[in-house]
Amino acid sequence: MSAGAAAIGLVSEMPSGPGVIPEELIAMIAAAIPRPTETFLLTARREADAIADQHRRTRTTALQLVDHLPAPELRRLRKMLPDVRLVQVIHVSDEESVDEARSVAALVDTLLLDSGNPRLPVKELGGTGRVHDWVYSRRIRETAGVPVLLAGGLHAGNARAAIEAVGPAGLDVCNGLRTDGRLDAGKLRAFFAAVG
């Protein structure tokens, strides 16, 4: 937060990827973060009831839905949690990703464009450290009608190029700020210097 982060991502149980912490710790961190900094609960759950229950236990300001939720579940989730920011992750790979983003945009507050692969036997739903084709991300940003955040292999060396190529409302970074799986203060400072 002191480096300039507008939001903190708190990773709950995932099929793969770094940074998972228990829900009890997520709730403690979320309660301790002062506004205006947002707290994002990263959840791989796909049912509105389960996601709403998880939110009630953690009390974050936003839900980052890292897997695809069917439209009826998104509508139910919105009704259950009208004041919680819904951020749907789109794993960008091809033209199909653009269509998926357009179809879901009206049901959420924000889209987050990442480089996972939910089609694998063990789903990759974030934290891959891979960059996707930003041409698709720019097309999504230009046509979605909601704010777009960009993720996927970002670090101090490519953050400025990502901003120029896509024009997102913000960046989401994970592996690009870590050394041996832990947040690296030097990488964090370099990242904010690059985007500043």
Side-chain angles (χ1 to χ4, degrees):
M1 289 169 42
S2 64
I8 305 295
L10 303 165
V11 184
S12 67
E13 183 181 357
M14 294 285 152
S16 66
V20 173
I21 57 176
E23 284 188 14
E24 297 79 16
L25 184 54
I26 291 172
M28 288 174 53
I29 295 169
I33 301 292
R35 292 296 217 138
T37 304
E38 286 191 87
T39 52
F40 282 46
L41 170 67
L42 280 68
T43 180
R45 289 172 170 78
R46 299 187 66 221
E47 302 81 26
D49 290 328
I51 295 168
D53 286 345
Q54 190 179 28
H55 177 263
R56 286 185 194 102
R57 291 190 300 271
T58 59
R59 309 310 266 170
T60 57
T61 62
L63 291 168
Q64 185 169 320
L65 310 167
V66 301
D67 205 347
H68 173 77
L69 264 68
E73 291 300 302
L74 279 172
R75 288 187 189 97
R76 288 184 65 234
L77 186 59
R78 171 55 71 214
K79 285 182 182 174
M80 291 177 184
L81 301 172
D83 299 325
V84 177
R85 183 174 175 194
L86 299 182
V87 180
Q88 178 64 63
V89 174
I90 304 294
H91 298 285
V92 178
S93 59
D94 53 26
E95 189 64 35
E96 199 174 293
S97 307
V98 179
D99 295 338
E100 179 187 357
R102 289 178 183 149
S103 72
V104 75
L107 303 174
V108 297
D109 301 298
T110 305
L111 296 174
L112 189 147
L113 310 180
D114 204 351
S115 304
N117 187 348
R119 297 180 184 122
L120 293 175
V122 176
K123 294 180 179 185
E124 290 180 337
L125 300 174
T128 67
R130 290 192 307 263
V131 175
H132 59 267
D133 188 337
W134 292 337
V135 170
Y136 295 118
S137 291
R138 181 161 191 107
R139 289 185 45 218
I140 292 168
R141 199 265 306 154
E142 290 174 341
T143 61
V146 295
V148 168
L149 305 175
L150 183 65
L154 300 176
H155 51 77
N158 67 3
R160 176 54 49 197
I163 292 168
E164 291 170 2
V166 178
L171 300 178
D172 178 325
V173 62
C174 178
N175 284 339
L177 298 181
R178 294 175 182 267
T179 299
D180 298 326
R182 298 185 60 83
L183 187 63
D184 181 309
K187 288 181 179 179
L188 182 66
R189 285 189 297 275
F191 183 83
F192 277 97
V195 300

